[in-house]
Amino acid sequence: MEAKIGLPKKDLTKSIDDLTVLLANEMILYVKTRKFHWNISGNSFMELHKLFEQHYNSLAKTADEVAERISALGGNAIGSMKNFLKHGEIEENTKDSNTQKQMLDELLEDHQKTMVQIRKAIDEIGDKSNDVVTEDFLTGILKMHENISWQLRKYTN
Ligand SMILES: [Fe+2]
């Protein structure tokens, strides 16, 4: 059902497409962070175990908000692992074991890729569309990723 919120169809489509890629990225990152929460070991075990839990809870909340924004714009929120992997720009982690450093490096890289995607979406929506609410919404999500990245980076020095 088309959302009648004062935006032309092309603006709705642009936002829905960008939000779909973001939803996929958030879900892949959510699953990966959860996996690392389960399997972390080493000298910072309990700290990182708890930190990853905070992060995957933030990612889950964000994914939910992104999916609901897609729906509010009249789109269909993807919701299968197959579609997340198809639309997402980050890879899942299928390795049997990862060191603490590998986990931190990979998460940082994925958050960075997600932030590049969000910044591009904000730029393009700002230039080509009037969907200021999605622009503002994406800025809030960007802030969450910056904050998580800052916390992860502090363990990699
Ligand atoms: Fe747990």
PDB file of all heavy atoms in Angstrom, residues 12 18 20 26 37-39 52 58 118 151 156:
ATOM      1  N   LEU A  12       9.999   7.806  -2.096  1.00  0.00           N
ATOM      2  CA  LEU A  12       9.682   6.662  -1.229  1.00  0.00           C
ATOM      3  C   LEU A  12      10.536   5.460  -1.629  1.00  0.00           C
ATOM      4  O   LEU A  12      11.130   4.785  -0.778  1.00  0.00           O
ATOM      5  CB  LEU A  12       8.192   6.298  -1.345  1.00  0.00           C
ATOM      6  CG  LEU A  12       7.185   7.345  -0.835  1.00  0.00           C
ATOM      7  CD1 LEU A  12       5.769   6.969  -1.248  1.00  0.00           C
ATOM      8  CD2 LEU A  12       7.265   7.467   0.690  1.00  0.00           C
ATOM      9  N   ASP A  18      17.385   2.089   0.123  1.00  0.00           N
ATOM     10  CA  ASP A  18      18.543   2.307   1.012  1.00  0.00           C
ATOM     11  C   ASP A  18      18.317   1.668   2.386  1.00  0.00           C
ATOM     12  O   ASP A  18      19.228   1.087   2.977  1.00  0.00           O
ATOM     13  CB  ASP A  18      18.813   3.806   1.187  1.00  0.00           C
ATOM     14  CG  ASP A  18      19.422   4.422  -0.069  1.00  0.00           C
ATOM     15  OD1 ASP A  18      19.902   3.665  -0.939  1.00  0.00           O
ATOM     16  OD2 ASP A  18      19.421   5.663  -0.179  1.00  0.00           O
ATOM     17  N   THR A  20      16.518  -0.905   2.995  1.00  0.00           N
ATOM     18  CA  THR A  20      16.563  -2.372   2.861  1.00  0.00           C
ATOM     19  C   THR A  20      17.999  -2.884   2.966  1.00  0.00           C
ATOM     20  O   THR A  20      18.264  -3.884   3.652  1.00  0.00           O
ATOM     21  CB  THR A  20      15.910  -2.803   1.522  1.00  0.00           C
ATOM     22  OG1 THR A  20      14.539  -2.401   1.549  1.00  0.00           O
ATOM     23  CG2 THR A  20      15.993  -4.306   1.305  1.00  0.00           C
ATOM     24  N   GLU A  26      22.358  -4.471   9.250  1.00  0.00           N
ATOM     25  CA  GLU A  26      22.133  -4.509  10.703  1.00  0.00           C
ATOM     26  C   GLU A  26      21.891  -5.947  11.175  1.00  0.00           C
ATOM     27  O   GLU A  26      22.383  -6.358  12.227  1.00  0.00           O
ATOM     28  CB  GLU A  26      20.919  -3.648  11.107  1.00  0.00           C
ATOM     29  CG  GLU A  26      21.024  -2.168  10.788  1.00  0.00           C
ATOM     30  CD  GLU A  26      22.071  -1.407  11.597  1.00  0.00           C
ATOM     31  OE1 GLU A  26      22.713  -1.987  12.486  1.00  0.00           O
ATOM     32  OE2 GLU A  26      22.246  -0.209  11.303  1.00  0.00           O
ATOM     33  N   HIS A  37      29.613 -12.925  21.029  1.00  0.00           N
ATOM     34  CA  HIS A  37      29.230 -12.922  22.452  1.00  0.00           C
ATOM     35  C   HIS A  37      29.267 -14.353  23.009  1.00  0.00           C
ATOM     36  O   HIS A  37      29.739 -14.593  24.112  1.00  0.00           O
ATOM     37  CB  HIS A  37      27.831 -12.312  22.569  1.00  0.00           C
ATOM     38  CG  HIS A  37      27.081 -12.612  23.839  1.00  0.00           C
ATOM     39  ND1 HIS A  37      27.301 -11.928  25.016  1.00  0.00           N
ATOM     40  CD2 HIS A  37      26.091 -13.502  24.099  1.00  0.00           C
ATOM     41  CE1 HIS A  37      26.479 -12.397  25.950  1.00  0.00           C
ATOM     42  NE2 HIS A  37      25.735 -13.341  25.422  1.00  0.00           N
ATOM     43  N   TRP A  38      28.796 -15.296  22.217  1.00  0.00           N
ATOM     44  CA  TRP A  38      28.771 -16.696  22.664  1.00  0.00           C
ATOM     45  C   TRP A  38      30.164 -17.303  22.733  1.00  0.00           C
ATOM     46  O   TRP A  38      30.433 -18.163  23.556  1.00  0.00           O
ATOM     47  CB  TRP A  38      27.936 -17.553  21.679  1.00  0.00           C
ATOM     48  CG  TRP A  38      26.475 -17.273  21.698  1.00  0.00           C
ATOM     49  CD1 TRP A  38      25.720 -16.854  22.755  1.00  0.00           C
ATOM     50  CD2 TRP A  38      25.561 -17.389  20.592  1.00  0.00           C
ATOM     51  NE1 TRP A  38      24.414 -16.704  22.374  1.00  0.00           N
ATOM     52  CE2 TRP A  38      24.288 -17.029  21.059  1.00  0.00           C
ATOM     53  CE3 TRP A  38      25.709 -17.777  19.246  1.00  0.00           C
ATOM     54  CZ2 TRP A  38      23.149 -17.028  20.238  1.00  0.00           C
ATOM     55  CZ3 TRP A  38      24.596 -17.781  18.434  1.00  0.00           C
ATOM     56  CH2 TRP A  38      23.326 -17.410  18.930  1.00  0.00           C
ATOM     57  N   ASN A  39      31.049 -16.891  21.818  1.00  0.00           N
ATOM     58  CA  ASN A  39      32.303 -17.627  21.645  1.00  0.00           C
ATOM     59  C   ASN A  39      33.564 -16.889  22.076  1.00  0.00           C
ATOM     60  O   ASN A  39      34.664 -17.413  21.900  1.00  0.00           O
ATOM     61  CB  ASN A  39      32.440 -18.045  20.168  1.00  0.00           C
ATOM     62  CG  ASN A  39      31.403 -19.080  19.792  1.00  0.00           C
ATOM     63  OD1 ASN A  39      31.427 -20.201  20.286  1.00  0.00           O
ATOM     64  ND2 ASN A  39      30.457 -18.691  18.951  1.00  0.00           N
ATOM     65  N   PHE A  52      29.564  -7.091  23.923  1.00  0.00           N
ATOM     66  CA  PHE A  52      28.905  -7.594  22.709  1.00  0.00           C
ATOM     67  C   PHE A  52      27.396  -7.743  22.931  1.00  0.00           C
ATOM     68  O   PHE A  52      26.606  -7.515  22.023  1.00  0.00           O
ATOM     69  CB  PHE A  52      29.521  -8.927  22.264  1.00  0.00           C
ATOM     70  CG  PHE A  52      30.938  -8.825  21.725  1.00  0.00           C
ATOM     71  CD1 PHE A  52      31.727  -9.958  21.566  1.00  0.00           C
ATOM     72  CD2 PHE A  52      31.491  -7.588  21.381  1.00  0.00           C
ATOM     73  CE1 PHE A  52      33.032  -9.869  21.068  1.00  0.00           C
ATOM     74  CE2 PHE A  52      32.792  -7.492  20.880  1.00  0.00           C
ATOM     75  CZ  PHE A  52      33.558  -8.633  20.732  1.00  0.00           C
ATOM     76  N   SER A  58      21.528  -3.224  20.901  1.00  0.00           N
ATOM     77  CA  SER A  58      21.363  -1.965  20.141  1.00  0.00           C
ATOM     78  C   SER A  58      21.084  -2.248  18.673  1.00  0.00           C
ATOM     79  O   SER A  58      20.236  -1.597  18.054  1.00  0.00           O
ATOM     80  CB  SER A  58      22.628  -1.109  20.219  1.00  0.00           C
ATOM     81  OG  SER A  58      22.888  -0.739  21.536  1.00  0.00           O
ATOM     82  N   ILE A 118      25.457   4.209   5.178  1.00  0.00           N
ATOM     83  CA  ILE A 118      24.506   5.177   5.753  1.00  0.00           C
ATOM     84  C   ILE A 118      24.839   6.598   5.276  1.00  0.00           C
ATOM     85  O   ILE A 118      23.953   7.354   4.884  1.00  0.00           O
ATOM     86  CB  ILE A 118      24.515   5.123   7.300  1.00  0.00           C
ATOM     87  CG1 ILE A 118      24.041   3.755   7.792  1.00  0.00           C
ATOM     88  CG2 ILE A 118      23.623   6.221   7.874  1.00  0.00           C
ATOM     89  CD1 ILE A 118      24.231   3.533   9.290  1.00  0.00           C
ATOM     90  N   GLN A 151      34.009   2.219  20.989  1.00  0.00           N
ATOM     91  CA  GLN A 151      34.222   1.248  22.076  1.00  0.00           C
ATOM     92  C   GLN A 151      35.072   0.068  21.608  1.00  0.00           C
ATOM     93  O   GLN A 151      35.968  -0.396  22.320  1.00  0.00           O
ATOM     94  CB  GLN A 151      32.874   0.758  22.609  1.00  0.00           C
ATOM     95  CG  GLN A 151      32.109   1.865  23.320  1.00  0.00           C
ATOM     96  CD  GLN A 151      30.710   1.448  23.724  1.00  0.00           C
ATOM     97  OE1 GLN A 151      30.237   0.365  23.386  1.00  0.00           O
ATOM     98  NE2 GLN A 151      30.025   2.313  24.456  1.00  0.00           N
ATOM     99  N   THR A 156      41.521  -2.434  20.502  1.00  0.00           N
ATOM    100  CA  THR A 156      42.425  -2.901  19.440  1.00  0.00           C
ATOM    101  C   THR A 156      43.789  -2.222  19.472  1.00  0.00           C
ATOM    102  O   THR A 156      44.636  -2.510  18.641  1.00  0.00           O
ATOM    103  CB  THR A 156      41.783  -2.689  18.039  1.00  0.00           C
ATOM    104  OG1 THR A 156      41.529  -1.291  17.866  1.00  0.00           O
ATOM    105  CG2 THR A 156      40.508  -3.470  17.870  1.00  0.00           C
TER     106      THR A 156
END
